Amino acid sequence: MRAARAEGPETQRPDGMGPWRFIVWFGVVSLLADFVYEGARSVTGPLLASLGASSLVVGVVTGAGEAAALGLRLVSGPLADRTRRFWGLSIGGYALTVVSVPPLGVVGVLWAACALVIAERVGKAVRSPAKDTLLSHATAATGRGRGFAVHEAMDQVGALIGPLTVAGVLALSGDAYGPALGVLAVPGVAVLLLLFRLRARVPDPEAYERQATAPPGKPAPDGPAPPRRLPAAFWTYAAFTAVTTAGFTTFGVLSYHLVRQHLMTTAWVPVLYAAAMAVDAVAALATGWVYDRTGPRVLAVLPVLAAAVPALAFTHTVAPAVAGALVWGAATGIQESTLRATVADLVPSPRRATAYGVFAGVVGGATLVGGALTGALYGYSVPLLITVVTAIQAVALVLLAVMGGARRHGDREARGAR
């Protein structure tokens, strides 16, 4: 199933844009988009508070936004598969995000700001399954792991630049949110211009996958095969992902511990988060490279890292606590890249956007469980928290082993769908 074929004449588009160039340019799009929305998300809490929001309102609004960003993909994924309008949904979702952010700093009314925060997250839900499907076609020619890893690494560059830019403008403007968020309109416009340019250059990215998977000497087949049900291996994989995510400590709980135990001042928490994002990018590139050579076996490192996070982070010493946060970043990088690459290998093209939507719903539900579980156990007993998380990750490893057998059946289904 894995395609690690190097880019060559057989995978070149008539317009000259090969799959690697497509992935890199789409990575630039994601970099600029992260510049916009991660810049805004870094100050969402203080911004809403400045408009009179209580901590409850901030929690509800941000929670509703994340629920929308993941849960609505259960709708947008099947819609993308039915309509095959992957470019339209991608551009529409990005447009909703980039037009929602700059007004946040000037609306001056709490309800309007809350609506814009949620609208930005809805934009992510609209575009993500379609965007991941477009990328999956190009990664069929470059190697799934490496392709998604390069995209994730570029994505994280934007996640670093955006918050730092907003912080700099806030410092220069005396904490004025208008200019700090208004400056994000510039990368937002660039996102849309690049997307329209990419669509014009590569209107049918699925051709990358058809060419990469066509038997030597035979022409690539035209169009997708009739839709089929999601393969059994995908559901086993979704169960593995749900379990390992349900035992994954959130950065919110980590940062709460660091500040509460006086291991780090509040001002240093964003710096640690930025360092974790840098580790995220490196881990994505490393595991993506290994994935293209060994397959999903490399994912066994994810439960191990997830189990190590609370054991390191919830200590009362700075060095291991910081190490735990960096391990959290490494695990997050694998979640954001190699997990997505595996979905593309397990599910044939006609049902891939649906699979990405279902997968996002599974991750969203498991993230909610994981945040609640680790947060509650942290307040009750840290040793118990470490024990429970370790047990959960052990179950995840068992499910990953089970998936190895189910995947062979999924491979046969995918080959039959081509």
Side-chain angles (χ1 to χ4, degrees):
M1 268 304 282
R2 296 187 309 281
R5 185 180 302 176
E7 180 179 328
E10 74 277 11
T11 57
Q12 293 284 340
R13 293 288 298 153
D15 56 22
M17 181 173 283
W20 267 123
R21 286 184 62 196
F22 179 81
I23 290 168
V24 169
W25 277 112
F26 224 127
V28 174
V29 169
S30 292
L31 184 157
L32 292 169
D34 267 45
F35 190 150
V36 176
Y37 70 78
E38 293 289 8
R41 292 179 73 197
S42 69
V43 294
T44 295
L47 170 64
L48 295 180
S50 72
L51 298 175
S54 65
S55 59
L56 174 61
V57 170
V58 173
V60 169
V61 170
T62 54
E66 291 309 306
L70 292 167
L72 290 179
R73 297 185 211 186
L74 292 169
V75 177
S76 62
L79 178 65
D81 275 336
R82 285 198 302 270
T83 64
R84 313 302 294 175
R85 296 184 181 275
F86 300 111
W87 275 119
L89 288 167
S90 296
I91 292 172
Y94 276 113
L96 181 56
T97 287
V98 301
V99 302
S100 298
V101 168
L104 265 173
V106 295
V107 289
V109 181
L110 179 58
W111 70 264
C114 292
L116 288 171
V117 169
I118 294 174
E120 182 273 309
R121 296 283 82 192
V122 171
K124 187 171 181 66
V126 169
R127 70 177 180 263
S128 289
K131 177 205 70 175
D132 285 343
T133 301
L134 292 174
L135 280 169
S136 75
H137 297 319
T139 61
T142 63
R144 300 282 194 206
R146 285 176 294 173
F148 275 100
V150 167
H151 179 267
E152 168 65 10
M154 297 182 71
D155 190 86
Q156 291 310 111
V157 172
L160 289 171
I161 296 174
L164 293 176
T165 299
V166 169
V169 177
L170 283 173
L172 293 173
S173 63
D175 291 339
Y177 288 107
L181 297 178
V183 73
L184 300 178
V186 176
V189 171
V191 166
L192 297 180
L193 291 177
L194 275 175
L195 279 169
F196 282 115
R197 175 63 172 164
L198 272 177
R199 184 178 67 172
R201 291 287 301 276
V202 189
D204 179 26
E206 192 170 1
Y208 291 130
E209 185 164 352
R210 291 197 297 268
Q211 293 169 7
T213 57
K218 293 186 179 181
D222 293 324
R228 299 171 64 91
R229 67 186 185 278
L230 294 176
F234 168 79
W235 293 110
T236 308
Y237 179 64
F240 156 75
T241 303
V243 171
T244 190
T245 304
F248 191 60
T249 307
T250 66
F251 190 81
V253 179
L254 296 183
S255 60
Y256 175 84
H257 171 78
L258 290 169
V259 174
R260 184 185 182 192
Q261 298 299 323
H262 305 292
L263 300 176
M264 187 172 288
T265 64
T266 303
W268 276 100
V269 170
V271 177
L272 180 60
Y273 183 81
M277 291 300 96
V279 174
D280 173 318
V282 174
L285 290 170
T287 55
W289 185 86
V290 175
Y291 174 83
D292 286 335
R293 285 153 179 78
T294 67
R297 288 193 299 274
V298 70
L299 292 175
V301 74
L302 179 56
V304 174
L305 292 175
V309 170
L312 289 169
F314 295 142
T315 59
H316 298 283
T317 308
V318 174
V322 169
L326 297 181
V327 171
W328 174 88
T332 301
I334 299 170
Q335 287 179 328
E336 294 292 331
S337 60
T338 312
L339 287 184
R340 290 159 56 210
T342 307
V343 172
D345 267 345
L346 290 174
V347 182
S349 176
R351 295 284 287 167
R352 197 169 292 156
T354 298
Y356 276 121
V358 171
F359 188 72
V362 168
V363 171
T367 299
L368 177 61
V369 171
L373 177 66
T374 56
L377 289 177
Y378 174 84
Y380 181 74
S381 167
V382 169
L384 179 61
L385 165 60
I386 295 171
T387 301
V388 170
V389 167
T390 301
I392 290 173
Q393 300 305 334
V395 173
L397 285 171
V398 172
L399 286 171
L400 184 63
V402 171
M403 190 194 80
R407 186 171 182 267
R408 289 193 292 272
H409 177 65
D411 287 348
R412 290 193 292 271
E413 281 194 341
R415 285 194 294 269
R418 290 173 181 161

